[in-house]
Amino acid sequence: AYDLFYKLGNYKDSKKQMDNTKIEMDNAIIETQISNLKNINVGDVIKFGIYGDEDIEWQVLDKKDNEIFVITKYIYSYEQYGGCDWKNSSIREKLNSDDVVFYFNKDAKAMIQTTNVIYKDENGAEKNTADKLFLLSVDEYNKYFKNPSEAKFTPAKNNTGYHPSCWMLRSPTSGLLRKVECVSGVDGEVFNSIDICDDDYVGVRPAMWINLEKYN
């Protein structure tokens, strides 16, 4: 049906029909993805949601009862951190807004949990936010990637091709020159990469908790 509407070009409401058909196709794909979320274990790679015309692949980092903690297997965008701390950063706002490039249907959205995300402000005080999608902290990175070589990865094909690239964490360094902690795509080591208020773009791998019971 999608191909037929595409061939019609601008004829009458063919564009609208194409969009509706695409949504129906994506919803069907996501329903299949959800139905396959059985017997998931730490270390598995699952498909959950749509990015463009591709399934989004997530690596399972943790599992507690009927919830799993996942991070994208690949970089899906390159963004600025944009702010003095996580709460006020532009990357946090983008990940939790309608501008995020990932598509989840209503059933998938219901499964994504709101997480109490802990961060440190520019004075080193511990604070928290409530987010659906977020970046790992340095502590979480060290907890889930005990072997740095496991964090080496390849960007998604949609971006700049297949080559190693660094990706940012949500933890800025303390002190006068605050930089974002990043993970090297070459060796998986954490390093201070960019000033948080400059114009550099760094790879983003969102993380989230999924409640498997919400789809029963």
Side-chain angles (χ1 to χ4, degrees):
Y2 182 87
D3 290 339
L4 290 175
F5 288 124
Y6 179 81
K7 290 177 181 179
L8 289 175
N10 295 324
Y11 180 74
K12 293 186 177 181
D13 65 344
S14 58
K15 177 62 167 60
K16 179 180 179 181
Q17 295 296 337
M18 283 174 58
D19 291 342
N20 291 338
T21 303
K22 176 66 164 54
I23 291 173
E24 292 176 1
M25 292 167 57
D26 288 347
N27 286 341
I29 291 172
I30 293 174
E31 290 301 311
T32 300
Q33 293 174 346
I34 293 174
S35 66
N36 290 333
L37 295 181
K38 299 177 181 178
N39 303 317
I40 298 300
N41 296 306
V42 173
D44 290 345
V45 174
I46 66 170
K47 295 178 179 180
F48 189 80
I50 303 292
Y51 173 73
D53 295 320
E54 297 185 355
D55 298 328
I56 306 171
E57 294 185 77
W58 304 81
Q59 179 182 346
V60 181
L61 299 179
D62 201 351
K63 183 176 183 179
K64 296 179 180 179
D65 298 324
N66 288 300
E67 294 186 351
I68 55 174
F69 184 43
V70 299
I71 186 173
T72 56
K73 183 178 178 182
Y74 302 112
I75 281 178
Y76 281 90
S77 65
Y78 292 84
E79 309 288 346
Q80 297 170 309
Y81 190 90
C84 293
D85 55 40
W86 168 250
K87 180 179 180 179
N88 300 309
S89 65
S90 59
I91 182 58
R92 173 179 176 256
E93 180 180 0
K94 185 167 186 176
L95 287 177
N96 289 279
S97 73
D98 293 334
D99 291 335
V100 67
V101 293
F102 296 163
Y103 174 75
F104 306 103
N105 67 6
K106 60 183 179 68
D107 292 323
K109 286 181 178 179
M111 297 170 68
I112 301 174
Q113 299 300 283
T114 299
T115 299
N116 180 41
V117 177
I118 300 172
Y119 73 97
K120 291 184 178 180
D121 66 15
E122 56 187 324
N123 297 315
E126 192 170 278
K127 297 184 177 180
N128 64 288
T129 56
D131 301 315
K132 296 283 189 179
L133 292 171
F134 54 95
L135 305 180
L136 295 185
S137 67
V138 170
D139 290 341
E140 288 168 337
Y141 174 77
N142 290 332
K143 175 181 178 180
Y144 294 115
F145 292 93
K146 298 185 184 304
N147 182 353
S149 64
E150 296 175 357
K152 294 189 297 185
F153 68 98
T154 308
K157 184 177 181 180
N158 310 58
N159 290 310
T160 58
Y162 289 106
H163 65 270
S165 181
C166 67
W167 48 283
M168 75 172 80
L169 304 175
R170 72 171 183 269
S171 303
T173 59
S174 59
L176 183 61
L177 296 176
R178 286 167 63 76
K179 294 178 177 289
V180 175
E181 302 280 16
C182 294
V183 178
S184 168
V186 177
D187 57 20
E189 296 290 344
V190 175
F191 66 102
N192 302 336
S193 176
I194 61 170
D195 294 329
I196 59 179
C197 294
D198 70 10
D199 295 326
D200 287 345
Y201 285 77
V202 180
V204 176
R205 293 178 70 186
M208 63 182 178
W209 281 93
I210 299 174
N211 189 327
L212 303 178
E213 278 191 329
K214 288 292 181 73
Y215 189 75
N216 283 335

